[in-house]
Amino acid sequence: MRKLLLLFTALVSLAFAQNQKVRVGLGYIPDVQFAPFYLAVTEGLYAARGLEVEFQHGFVSELYPLLAQGRLDFVVGDAEDVIALRAQNPQATPFKYVMAMYQSVPNAIFSLAEKNIRSVRDLKGKTIGMPGMFGVSLTSLQAMLRAAGLKESDVRILQIGFTQAEAVVSGRVDAAMGFINNEPVFLQARGVRLNIIPAGPYNKSPGNGVITTDKVLENPELVRRFLAASQEGLARVLADPRQGFEAARRYVPNLGEDRMAVLRASVRLYQSAYTRRMGLGFSDPQAWVSSLTLLHQTGRVKTDLPPTAFYTNEFLQPGVQAQTLAGR
């Protein structure tokens, strides 16, 4: 009888342990770009690892304080944010990047084809629309101008908020900094001819990924379980974008078929030469060196912390690839 009671107690304890709630911040609204995480819920990938995942959408500027306070466990955000925030105050914002969703920054400068802006040097004397003078959009612009031997004073920068598509089409700006998997996809689907200059070759920072805190990392098994399911989500969406799109329908109100092109453009950012060696979700150490160097050079960050203070690949499953999971 005593053995049965002990077994029952152990099973109950295990059941509670296997239903651990994990709170994840996604910025900024429900969108097909988050398909790997949505799919990991709808296909039971988190549940199979004993996790109950709850999403909270909002501006990342609102999500990061919640992460620091322990009210969120993970946030999907920019790698650069981790460097900027941890370098500024490691005690208040002890953030660490633990899984790459994108292997390069998704920023791109786009313009109407008739403007003949085919290279960064063609931007000289032109008006560039920017969401604002902040974040990875600004870093990407600075990196692009530096590579072309241009200064910010060689162009006219207009802060336009998130109205890049309208500003380009209306002629309010000559070009705008947007996202390769957003505004250009939207406009080209409507027959607008564009020239697009991706920022990735100039700003070699890691792209968007999963960010957590030193406190959460004190529970390594939780982190490993969450990341393993998220890596599998990446692999499944890469293998079958349509499956990811259908999972996103559960979370994105009135998701139109036109957003499938956005997902396909996003999926192209999941892989790199580094992930083909190491596995999906790994971030290239050299990309962190490049990012920190660029932020130092532009005066955006002052810190003596090494690149390894801001990221780790330690909690990821090596070798996860789309082909290894296709058909599951």
Side-chain angles (χ1 to χ4, degrees):
M1 182 68 180
R2 186 171 180 273
K3 288 183 178 179
L4 287 175
L5 181 61
L6 288 173
L7 177 61
F8 176 77
T9 302
L11 290 173
V12 169
S13 299
L14 182 62
F16 277 109
Q18 290 179 337
N19 287 289
Q20 187 167 1
K21 181 169 285 189
V22 176
R23 301 153 300 178
V24 182
L26 304 175
Y28 98 99
I29 60 175
D31 191 85
V32 72
Q33 296 174 51
F34 300 119
F37 303 98
Y38 298 151
L39 181 143
V41 172
T42 61
E43 294 298 310
L45 307 183
Y46 292 125
R49 292 168 172 86
L51 302 176
E52 178 186 345
V53 171
E54 176 184 288
F55 297 123
Q56 180 170 337
H57 290 84
F59 288 107
V60 289
S61 58
E62 300 167 342
L63 298 176
Y64 287 142
L66 299 179
L67 181 64
Q69 295 161 15
R71 294 163 64 186
L72 290 174
D73 302 299
F74 302 94
V75 166
V76 177
D78 292 330
E80 180 183 306
D81 291 343
V82 177
I83 296 176
L85 292 168
R86 187 170 191 127
Q88 183 179 35
N89 193 333
Q91 285 71 46
T93 51
F95 295 164
K96 187 157 283 192
Y97 181 107
V98 291
M99 189 192 89
M101 180 168 70
Y102 296 158
Q103 288 296 310
S104 66
V105 295
N107 305 90
I109 290 178
F110 65 98
S111 59
L112 297 178
E114 63 199 52
K115 295 286 186 178
N116 292 316
I117 301 174
R118 301 178 183 276
S119 70
V120 179
R121 289 200 62 79
D122 294 333
L123 291 168
K124 187 173 183 178
K126 300 294 194 299
T127 299
I128 304 173
M130 291 284 290
M133 300 300 283
F134 53 78
V136 71
S137 292
L138 175 57
T139 308
S140 292
L141 176 64
Q142 291 174 326
M144 296 171 87
L145 294 177
R146 287 168 64 90
L150 298 176
K151 302 175 182 177
E152 289 183 35
S153 58
D154 289 325
V155 298
R156 179 171 176 253
I157 298 174
L158 190 63
Q159 297 188 57
I160 59 173
F162 294 97
T163 64
Q164 298 101 311
E166 177 277 327
V168 165
V169 171
S170 68
R172 185 153 60 103
V173 298
D174 297 306
M177 178 68 78
F179 297 92
I180 202 166
N181 55 343
N182 193 8
E183 299 91 354
V185 174
F186 171 83
L187 293 175
Q188 288 178 320
R190 283 152 181 77
V192 180
R193 293 177 59 246
L194 300 173
N195 286 325
I196 304 167
I197 309 173
Y202 304 92
N203 178 5
K204 296 184 181 296
S205 169
N208 300 55
V210 176
I211 301 164
T212 190
T213 64
D214 291 349
K215 180 66 176 176
V216 174
L217 291 176
E218 291 176 6
N219 188 346
E221 282 308 306
L222 168 69
V223 177
R224 288 192 178 95
R225 284 185 285 149
F226 176 76
L227 294 185
S230 300
Q231 285 178 274
E232 186 171 345
L234 279 171
R236 290 201 184 195
V237 175
L238 182 60
D240 184 0
R242 174 56 63 178
Q243 186 184 26
F245 187 82
E246 294 305 319
R249 288 189 188 276
R250 296 269 299 273
Y251 291 89
V252 184
N254 304 313
L255 180 60
E257 189 63 30
D258 59 332
R259 298 295 289 175
M260 185 66 189
V262 170
L263 179 57
R264 291 192 185 281
S266 300
V267 163
R268 288 194 286 271
L269 298 169
Y270 293 175
Q271 289 183 298
S272 66
Y274 192 74
T275 66
R276 291 185 179 93
R277 295 200 312 274
M278 301 300 297
L280 294 170
F282 280 73
S283 60
D284 189 342
Q286 187 54 51
W288 287 93
V289 173
S290 297
S291 183
L292 189 56
T293 300
L294 177 61
L295 290 170
H296 275 305
Q297 290 174 343
T298 57
R300 301 281 300 285
V301 166
K302 295 181 180 180
T303 181
D304 295 325
L305 293 172
T308 51
F310 305 105
Y311 82 98
T312 180
N313 288 321
E314 175 187 351
F315 301 94
L316 294 165
Q317 298 292 317
V320 176
Q321 304 288 356
Q323 62 268 28
T324 62
L325 296 174
R328 277 196 187 180

